[in-house]
Amino acid sequence: MLPLAKAAVAAGDEVVVAASEDLHGAAGDLTTRALGPSLPDLLAETDRRLGEGVLGYRSDSSKVLDANVALFTTIRADMAFDALYALAIDERPDVIVAEMWDYVAPLVARRLGIPLVTFVHSPATTIDGMRSRSGQPPTTPPRWPTSRPSTGRARWCW
């Protein structure tokens, strides 16, 4: 996502990268804002809620799927929604960009009526490539804003 964010800046748009502080170094010169828990904090909260150390699960255990779903949906939403909501109100972005596994940004975008762009990557892109070669539509169609602000510049929140 960072190359796309840098391209938006190069085109004259404003970009704010919202991520846990331990990830800010990867953003380089992009403007960053602290948001949400770090992965170790998420894992610790997942351990607390599930009552055991999730990193000890065997990869073939159904508990791995349950723990991942909980971590990326309910637990992260509980820990990050209020902060992203406040950040979006403060930054007033024209668009919120989120990666496909982010379940908090769509909730905030919907609540505030801000267009959402979902950056699709990871295993689904491989699946979509195979579907495309067989003539099938992608599993997750891209969603892009239909127009730019009248200023010709967009404010993005990543």
Side-chain angles (χ1 to χ4, degrees):
M1 286 178 48
L2 291 175
L4 186 58
K6 290 176 182 180
V9 169
D13 291 341
E14 296 176 45
V15 171
V16 173
V17 177
S20 62
E21 289 186 40
D22 57 328
L23 299 176
H24 286 188
D29 294 342
L30 296 172
T31 302
T32 58
R33 298 286 184 268
L35 174 72
S38 65
L39 184 56
D41 291 340
L42 275 170
L43 288 170
E45 181 62 14
T46 303
D47 289 351
R48 188 189 71 73
R49 290 189 188 192
L50 298 181
E52 55 189 321
V54 297
L55 290 180
Y57 292 158
R58 292 174 38 98
S59 61
D60 61 349
S61 168
S62 65
K63 290 182 177 183
V64 170
L65 178 59
D66 294 342
N68 276 289
V69 168
L71 184 146
F72 287 107
T73 58
T74 55
I75 295 170
R76 185 167 181 279
D78 289 348
M79 297 177 77
F81 179 86
D82 292 340
L84 182 56
Y85 185 81
L87 179 91
I89 289 173
D90 184 50
E91 292 291 335
R92 298 184 338 265
D94 297 308
V95 178
I96 293 178
V97 180
E99 57 100 20
M100 62 190 280
W101 305 114
D102 185 342
Y103 289 86
V104 178
L107 297 172
V108 170
R110 176 73 175 196
R111 170 79 58 90
L112 295 174
I114 299 171
L116 173 74
V117 174
T118 302
F119 186 84
V120 180
H121 62 91
S122 196
T125 52
T126 304
I127 293 167
D128 285 346
M130 292 185 308
R131 291 176 63 87
S132 173
R133 283 190 291 281
S134 68
Q136 298 175 339
T139 55
T140 309
R143 296 182 300 257
W144 292 93
T146 56
S147 63
R148 293 181 65 83
S150 60
T151 62
R153 295 178 53 200
R155 291 180 51 87
W156 301 76
C157 186
W158 298 71

